[in-house]
Amino acid sequence: MTGLRILALDIDGTLIGSDKRIASFTASEIRRVAETEGVHVILVTARGPQSTALIEEQLGVRSSYATYGGALVWAREADGRFSTLSETPLDDGATARFLELAAATDVHVGVYTRDDWFVNRLDYWGLREARNTSVWPSDVGADYVRPSALAAGAVFKVMFRGESAALDALEGPLREVGADAFIHRVPHVIEIISSRAVKLPAVTALASHLGHELRDVIAFGDSLSDLELLENAGVGVLMANASKSLGASPAIERTLSNDEDGIGVMLRKHFPTSAPFRT
């Protein structure tokens, strides 16, 4: 029997495919190792709790959460309730400055609190995020994303979306704020969370709470924010759809892509079974 007791899963680019769905074989393998091997599932994601809960529902497996990149860490207890292990919001002053800078541009603004998602307008970018996450904004309007409208210590993520040129102009001033924040940029998105919200310590804390160590964890991911966890887990697995420029350690195992049951086939490898292999 394998010594792996915890399954840590990134969501976007890893657990769900490009169609934003969980492949049926991967879902069945996750349920198998949870039910027959007693493996505890942790969903480790930049998404918020609401969207993560919907993924958990699709899986049909009770899971712990490390959301907003590790800013909110919730352990699922045996009775089904959550215990909050840590909360790491963005600095209030930095958040205010980020939103002030964005207000002077035409970008789409999304503000994520513990329980809500506020947007300045429900345009193409807002609709796309809603469709991708299956979560509808709590409120819409510029007033909802002003610093004065947000409670102290409430913001865990800020996201700016738009055309590349607009984000190019905004990115430099955001980085000049010099806050304790991690600013992640892809062509049409700038995502900001606390630099202290990191996946590795989040999973470490959850494993410890559950009576295990990192060596007991098998972790899957596809991006730079996953690498540290993959390098330190008992087994780290990188998806084939990950960027070739990541420079991942040779010690990290490689699997198929998120559209090819990359998680499912590796779970079959590490948790063997005589059950028929049906992808």
Side-chain angles (χ1 to χ4, degrees):
M1 184 177 180
T2 178
L4 300 170
R5 311 311 308 149
I6 292 177
L7 171 58
L9 299 169
D10 171 58
I11 294 179
D12 293 281
T14 301
L15 177 59
I16 62 174
S18 56
D19 61 355
K20 303 301 178 184
R21 299 179 183 276
I22 304 170
S24 59
F25 176 70
T26 287
S28 67
E29 284 296 287
I30 294 170
R31 288 192 290 270
R32 177 179 69 83
V33 300
E35 293 167 5
T36 67
E37 303 281 349
V39 170
H40 187 96
V41 176
I42 302 174
L43 298 175
V44 191
T45 177
R47 294 183 178 217
Q50 287 177 297
S51 181
T52 304
L54 295 174
I55 296 296
E56 179 188 29
E57 182 179 314
Q58 290 179 41
L59 277 178
V61 176
R62 281 184 171 177
S63 307
S64 292
Y65 299 176
T67 58
Y68 294 139
L72 276 177
V73 183
W74 295 352
R76 179 78 73 177
E77 304 294 356
D79 62 4
R81 294 180 299 173
F82 280 119
S83 293
T84 300
L85 301 192
S86 64
E87 296 193 358
T88 312
L90 283 161
D91 174 78
D92 292 337
T95 299
R97 184 59 181 147
F98 294 147
L99 295 176
E100 288 167 359
L101 289 167
T105 74
D106 192 39
V107 301
H108 173 88
V109 179
V111 175
Y112 299 76
T113 69
R114 194 177 192 275
D115 302 307
D116 293 294
W117 169 39
F118 304 107
V119 297
N120 60 336
R121 57 181 180 265
L122 203 52
D123 55 6
Y124 168 81
W125 302 106
L127 294 172
R128 182 170 178 173
E129 176 74 353
R131 196 258 179 197
N132 287 347
T133 63
S134 298
V135 174
W136 199 253
S138 302
D139 283 297
V140 180
D143 287 343
Y144 292 106
V145 297
R146 297 187 196 281
S148 58
L150 301 165
V155 178
F156 288 88
K157 183 170 76 170
V158 176
M159 184 178 286
F160 304 119
R161 292 177 176 268
E163 298 303 327
S164 292
L167 294 179
D168 288 344
L170 179 59
E171 183 179 2
L174 291 174
R175 294 189 183 279
E176 289 174 3
V177 173
D180 185 17
F182 174 70
I183 299 175
H184 176 60
R185 170 72 194 278
V186 292
H188 296 291
V189 179
I190 296 175
E191 184 178 69
I192 306 175
I193 59 174
S194 170
S195 60
R196 294 176 290 117
V198 183
K199 292 185 176 183
L200 175 60
V203 172
T204 301
L206 283 165
S208 177
H209 182 81
L210 296 166
H212 298 293
E213 301 178 13
L214 272 177
R215 66 186 179 186
D216 304 321
V217 176
I218 179 170
F220 290 81
D222 73 303
S223 67
L224 181 62
S225 65
D226 300 312
L227 276 189
E228 186 181 30
L229 173 58
L230 301 187
E231 290 168 349
N232 287 277
V235 175
V237 184
L238 186 68
M239 309 301 289
N241 49 286
S243 171
K244 304 305 180 187
S245 65
L246 280 184
S249 164
I252 296 175
E253 296 189 26
R254 270 62 170 179
T255 188
L256 306 181
S257 77
N258 59 331
D259 287 328
E260 301 171 302
D261 283 302
I263 293 174
V265 295
M266 289 301 278
L267 291 180
R268 182 61 66 106
K269 171 185 173 181
H270 286 281
F271 300 88
T273 176
S274 59
F277 179 65
R278 299 286 186 269
T279 60

